[in-house]
Amino acid sequence: MVDPLTIGTALVAALASLFMAWAIGAGSSGSTPFAPAVGANAISVMRAGLVVGVLGFAGAVLQGQSVTEAVGSELVGGVSHTSLSATVALLAARYRST
């Protein structure tokens, strides 16, 4: 059986990650590349959002592990992070960006 504290930490980390992704995605990376096409009525806003969402998901699936390994090992050397410290870092970054 999984420890309830571990499940709670995983849930809080997942929510913090979603909020962080939302905050970053709400900036300039959304459907901004499609702005000229949407403005010219060549593509609808929903279709532009769908394309960006599909490509973003594909990028996360295909490159997510490499990014995670780079951030986890290559950027900060000699430090071991626990799931709790990663959750706290995500929460702090989320509330710092608002």
Side-chain angles (χ1 to χ4, degrees), residues 23-97:
I24 292 170
S28 63
S29 65
S31 57
T32 303
F34 288 97
V38 170
N41 290 327
I43 187 173
S44 70
V45 175
M46 285 297 281
R47 185 166 291 173
L50 177 67
V51 171
V52 169
V54 167
L55 293 177
F57 181 76
V61 169
L62 296 174
Q63 294 295 323
Q65 182 179 359
S66 299
V67 172
T68 303
E69 287 175 1
V71 169
S73 64
E74 295 174 9
L75 292 181
V76 181
V79 177
S80 177
H81 292 287
T82 64
S83 58
L84 184 59
S85 68
T87 302
V88 169
L90 281 170
L91 287 171
R94 168 64 179 119
Y95 290 111
R96 174 75 173 129
S97 67

